[in-house]
Amino acid sequence: MNLEHKPTKLTKAINLLIVSIIIGIINFFIANFDTIDLTKIATVILTFLFMSVFVYLINARKKWARTVFLILFLLGSLMFPFTVATLFEQNPIAAIISVVLTIIQIFALVLLYSEEVNNWINYRTTSP
């Protein structure tokens, strides 16, 4: 394997994360179609930017970004059962989409921590 080129598992993981960002934005509007206010819109914009920056940095071989993303995902997962239970009561479609998004992100994280991606992210070029 050529460690200077991005592995296919990384490309798949990045694509999954991009898809999860897009579906997450759509899901926001599905879940909040009747109660959208400026605070909620600002939150979704900040979340979009935050996720996009992490996807960019992970794709740019920043190991710390991958680690921070994992930690933030795990912290968010602690509250997920409670929020998704409430969401199922309020909007079952948005809740199902949230569960699917979580599965997509878990799969992306599994790919991001595969041996192929680990080798690539740990590889240091010797160019000046």
Side-chain angles (χ1 to χ4, degrees):
M1 176 175 72
N2 185 347
L3 294 176
E4 293 183 15
H5 298 292
K6 290 182 179 144
T8 56
K9 286 186 179 181
L10 175 70
T11 303
K12 289 177 185 177
I14 295 299
N15 289 339
L16 286 171
L17 291 174
I18 291 169
V19 165
S20 78
I21 292 169
I22 293 167
I23 294 173
I25 292 170
I26 294 167
N27 195 35
F28 165 78
F29 289 106
I30 290 171
N32 297 292
F33 71 93
D34 57 344
T35 60
I36 294 179
D37 60 27
L38 190 57
T39 305
K40 289 180 181 179
I41 291 174
T43 301
V44 79
I45 290 170
L46 288 174
T47 301
F48 167 77
L49 292 172
F50 192 70
M51 287 281 295
S52 297
V53 167
F54 271 100
V55 169
Y56 173 79
L57 291 171
I58 292 167
N59 198 37
R61 199 181 260 175
K62 302 298 182 192
K63 186 176 183 177
W64 66 266
R66 181 180 70 156
T67 304
V68 171
F69 185 79
L70 173 64
I71 291 167
L72 292 174
F73 177 83
L74 293 173
L75 289 172
S77 296
L78 294 174
M79 292 305 295
F80 183 72
F82 306 107
T83 57
V84 81
T86 303
L87 193 53
F88 264 111
E89 293 173 3
Q90 297 171 352
N91 191 328
I93 293 171
I96 291 168
I97 293 170
S98 293
V99 170
V100 170
L101 282 174
T102 301
I103 293 168
I104 289 171
Q105 291 171 355
I106 289 169
F107 189 62
L109 282 164
V110 168
L111 292 173
L112 286 175
Y113 280 89
S114 67
E115 182 179 358
E116 181 181 345
V117 176
N118 281 335
N119 290 339
W120 177 80
I121 213 162
N122 289 321
Y123 177 75
R124 300 286 180 230
T125 58
T126 56
S127 58

